[in-house]
């Protein structure tokens, strides 16, 4: 079964990856709970684990506006990760994030509410924290805390790695 899955991955999915773009957008939208658009998809098969590069990824808010733009997102996949509905690794280059804590203490990233103190985590954060590894390189982060009277904190050239292994997370 593993060998068949590997064969399907390398000889069926990888060469036809751009034709799967509408399906990938639908699956990503369902996974994170908001609309996802992908500008271009390419795949590289160099070894046992192929990688897929997505260019011009846009997360669309409920009003149809672009809430987050990711210039380049690379994902490594394997038969095991496909069976589990996850990725082996997610790599984001050049993301620009605006994070805000509102007066009611709810957290907003790129205009999308992630959680409040009274609500359970949403689909996007559940999906993010279920991934084995997420790496962000050369990102920008702007943190605004409306509960304090302080200027926003702005960070540039941020590198960030989140690992999820056996019921624990490492940052």
């Amino acid at each position: 079964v593993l060998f068949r899955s590997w064969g399907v991955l390398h000889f069926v999915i990888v060469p036809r990856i751009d034709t799967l773009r509408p399906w990938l957008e639908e699956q990503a939208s369902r996974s994170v709970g908001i609309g996802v658009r992908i500008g271009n998809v390419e795949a590289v098969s160099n070894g046992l684990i192929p990688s897929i590069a997505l260019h011009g990824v846009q997360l669309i808010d409920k009003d149809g506006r672009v809430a987050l733009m990711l210039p380049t997102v690379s994902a490594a996949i394997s038969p095991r990760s496909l069976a589990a509905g996850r990725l082996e690794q997610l790599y984001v280059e050049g993301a620009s994030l605006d994070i805000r804590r509102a007066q009611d203490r709810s957290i907003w990233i790129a205009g999308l509410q992630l959680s409040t103190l009274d609500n359970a985590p949403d689909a996007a954060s559940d999906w993010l924290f279920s991934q084995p590894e997420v790496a962000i390189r050369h990102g920008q982060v702007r943190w605004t805390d409306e509960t304090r009277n302080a200027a926003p904190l702005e960070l540039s050239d941020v590198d960030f790695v989140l690992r999820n292994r056996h019921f624990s997370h490492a940052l």
Side-chain angles (χ1 to χ4, degrees):
V1 173
L2 185 59
F3 182 72
R4 273 189 257 152
S5 297
W6 182 86
V8 167
L9 183 62
H10 279 276
F11 299 113
V12 176
I13 295 175
V14 168
R16 295 169 183 81
I17 195 67
D18 197 46
T19 62
L20 297 174
R21 185 169 40 87
W23 180 82
L24 289 170
E25 289 174 335
E26 180 183 326
Q27 295 302 309
S29 296
R30 192 175 312 147
S31 293
V32 298
I34 59 172
V36 176
R37 291 187 199 143
I38 303 169
N40 181 20
V41 181
E42 63 181 325
V44 178
S45 179
N46 52 2
L48 293 176
I49 299 178
S51 63
I52 297 171
L54 310 174
H55 303 283
V57 176
Q58 299 176 343
L59 278 67
I60 310 301
D61 69 13
K62 290 179 172 80
D63 296 325
R65 296 177 301 219
V66 175
L68 177 61
M69 176 68 168
L70 304 170
T72 303
V73 177
S74 298
I77 57 174
S78 69
R80 178 186 68 189
S81 67
L82 286 177
R86 297 187 309 232
L87 306 168
E88 285 293 326
Q89 181 188 50
L90 182 64
Y91 175 82
V92 179
E93 181 76 30
S96 182
L97 298 176
D98 185 26
I99 304 172
R100 178 174 61 90
R101 181 166 58 173
Q103 287 288 337
D104 66 0
R105 298 195 176 276
S106 60
I107 303 294
W108 297 76
I109 295 182
L112 302 172
Q113 186 176 12
L114 284 188
S115 64
T116 64
L117 293 176
D118 298 329
N119 294 337
D122 63 4
S125 57
D126 285 345
W127 179 85
L128 177 69
F129 289 111
S130 73
Q131 302 307 308
E133 183 172 289
V134 177
I136 299 174
R137 294 282 317 223
H138 306 295
Q140 297 176 347
V141 177
R142 178 184 170 109
W143 166 257
T144 304
D145 189 343
E146 295 176 357
T147 65
R148 299 178 53 206
N149 189 17
L153 172 64
E154 297 189 31
L155 305 172
S156 60
D157 202 24
V158 173
D159 293 337
F160 169 90
V161 177
L162 174 67
R163 290 191 177 97
N164 176 19
R165 301 284 190 256
H166 309 295
F167 308 109
S168 68
H169 294 81
L171 178 65

